[in-house]
Amino acid sequence: MLSSNSATAPLDVPRGLAGVVVTDTELGDVRGREGFYHYRQYSAVELAESRGFEDVWHLMFHGRLPDAAEREAFLARTAALRRLPDEVRDALPAVARTCAPSGPLAGLRTALSLLGASAGFRPVYDLGPERRRDDALAACSAVPTLLTALHRLGRGLEPVEPREDLPYAANYLYMLTGSEPDPARARAVERYLVSTVDHGFNASTFTARVITSTGADIAASLVGAIGALSGPLHGGAPSRALDTLDAIGTPDRVDSWIRQRVLAGERIMGFGHPVYRTEDPRSRMLRSVAESFGGPLVELAVEVEARVEAILAELKPGRELHTNVEFYAGVVMELCGLPREMFTPTFCAARVVGWSANILEQARDSKIIRPAARYVGPQPPQPLPEAS
């Protein structure tokens, strides 16, 4: 972040821009010390518990929750945008083959670029608010179709065409499995999706806004955000947190496994968050979702959570470390039948709405994001050596 005289007076800021305010936003905030976050003026957890995904999508794009007529119109409009253009659909088998070693999230970057080019997405700098919103709606609506098609093609299966009569979460599960989902599992996944729509200025959201500040098109900004999300320190942890439960296996092994990792200074996936200094409210909500299903996996997860906190209090007194959203997200998605390679892509299917809302907000600001760096290399100018 620079002073008004940025050409001559750069300001030092914390490493990683931690805590640095770079803009104003009307979309929401994370209050880490309180364990609270919100979308616009509403608690995000309360929205996840009582509203459908499309209601929250409407809130993020239009600034208000829809009434009954607006909800019906929004559902119809976004459902109609789920089908892919023929040229994009025809290219997906090749994309899936090429990206098979890396998975659907890597393929989505290519497929979303193709979608943007096919649909004629233009730089947001050249568009008015309505056309920007139209492009964002088209991209968000297509992402679940692209992800599920790439996943199925990667497994040698034909993609499942979207259904316009199913809401967002249920249609996502339908396209993934080919079967209409059980309502309880569809609602559980929907609550997870709502809880992960947006979460402050995380790395992927900030990336999307940086790209948007250049005036680039919606697809370019979303592809950049997906690239940031793919890093294991950002969106890649739900399956890794579940791997922890697999490694522990049974409740009698919890203490010895956890103690060994804590004493070795290793990171325990699914625990800790860069913002929250108390329990992650998303984790609390998803724990209740998991407990509604019950079973050995849930019992083990609850036991691991309790023992990790107790062992840390003993071995690292004063260090606050609680479960984050990925810990119980992995449990919920496993219980709902999602394959682990689709955990992070499912996160992406929710966060694309938050990214897009941030893109639309950033597009209203014509100032490019251009921070400074301190040069720490050899002192210039040095004599140029003769060419050999």
Side-chain angles (χ1 to χ4, degrees), residues 20-353:
V20 175
V21 175
V22 295
T23 194
D24 295 330
T25 182
E26 299 176 350
L27 297 175
D29 194 18
V30 180
R31 304 207 298 249
R33 294 189 180 278
E34 300 173 41
F36 175 79
Y37 74 115
H38 57 102
Y39 303 154
R40 297 198 183 268
Q41 67 269 43
Y42 303 110
S43 161
V45 170
E46 288 184 12
L47 287 167
E49 290 173 339
S50 63
R51 291 285 188 150
F53 188 83
E54 284 85 354
D55 278 10
V56 176
W57 187 355
H58 189 281
L59 170 69
M60 297 300 285
F61 271 40
H62 295 282
R64 67 184 185 280
L65 289 168
D67 59 27
E70 288 172 328
R71 178 184 300 110
E72 184 177 350
F74 193 77
L75 283 164
R77 183 179 183 189
T78 55
L81 292 169
R82 293 170 180 166
R83 292 189 178 275
L84 304 175
D86 289 343
E87 54 269 30
V88 175
R89 185 188 298 108
D90 292 345
L92 289 183
V95 174
R97 285 195 302 272
T98 304
C99 298
S102 301
L105 200 64
L108 180 64
R109 298 199 294 266
T110 299
L112 201 50
S113 292
L114 289 172
L115 178 74
S118 171
F121 286 7
R122 292 165 51 211
V124 295
Y125 184 82
D126 297 328
L127 303 177
E130 288 302 316
R131 178 57 194 271
R132 293 170 186 164
R133 189 179 294 115
D134 289 347
D135 287 354
L137 282 172
C140 292
S141 300
V143 161
T145 310
L146 292 169
L147 285 172
T148 54
L150 290 166
H151 169 71
R152 290 181 65 86
L153 287 165
R155 290 192 163 191
L157 302 170
E158 285 297 311
V160 175
E161 289 297 312
R163 281 173 49 178
E164 295 187 21
D165 61 315
L166 293 175
Y168 191 90
N171 178 66
Y172 177 71
L173 291 174
Y174 169 73
M175 291 190 296
L176 189 64
T177 65
S179 301
E180 187 167 339
D182 167 70
R185 284 170 170 75
R187 178 57 186 151
V189 170
E190 182 173 53
R191 290 176 69 183
Y192 167 69
L193 294 175
V194 170
S195 74
T196 52
V197 161
D198 191 53
H199 203 247
F201 264 43
N202 52 78
S204 56
T205 297
F206 186 52
T207 299
R209 293 189 72 129
V210 170
I211 295 171
T212 302
S213 79
T214 72
D217 67 75
I218 295 281
S221 298
L222 291 175
V223 168
I226 295 165
L229 180 71
S230 67
L233 297 183
H234 188 9
S239 60
R240 294 173 184 238
L242 206 55
D243 290 343
T244 294
L245 297 180
D246 286 345
I248 294 172
T250 56
D252 60 289
R253 297 187 66 240
V254 171
D255 276 34
S256 60
W257 196 95
I258 296 298
R259 283 180 183 277
Q260 181 180 348
R261 268 69 189 175
V262 171
L263 291 172
E266 296 179 16
R267 184 180 180 190
I268 302 174
M269 299 306 290
F271 286 80
H273 194 275
V275 176
Y276 289 116
R277 293 299 173 264
T278 182
E279 186 179 19
D280 187 331
R282 301 169 298 176
S283 178
R284 187 188 313 120
M285 188 272 292
L286 290 170
R287 181 171 62 232
S288 72
V289 174
E291 288 175 332
S292 71
F293 290 104
L297 178 61
V298 178
E299 293 170 3
L300 178 61
V302 172
E303 176 70 12
V304 167
E305 178 185 20
R307 293 307 303 153
V308 167
E309 293 188 1
I311 291 169
L312 280 170
E314 174 192 340
L315 300 179
K316 308 274 187 182
R319 182 181 177 187
E320 288 285 334
L321 195 66
H322 303 277
T323 54
N324 56 40
V325 65
E326 285 87 5
F327 187 77
Y328 282 105
V331 174
V332 169
M333 285 190 276
E334 181 92 344
L335 294 172
C336 291
L338 277 77
R340 294 188 186 186
E341 62 267 26
M342 289 301 288
F343 284 7
T344 301
T346 301
F347 182 99
C348 178
R351 188 55 62 86
V352 68
V353 169

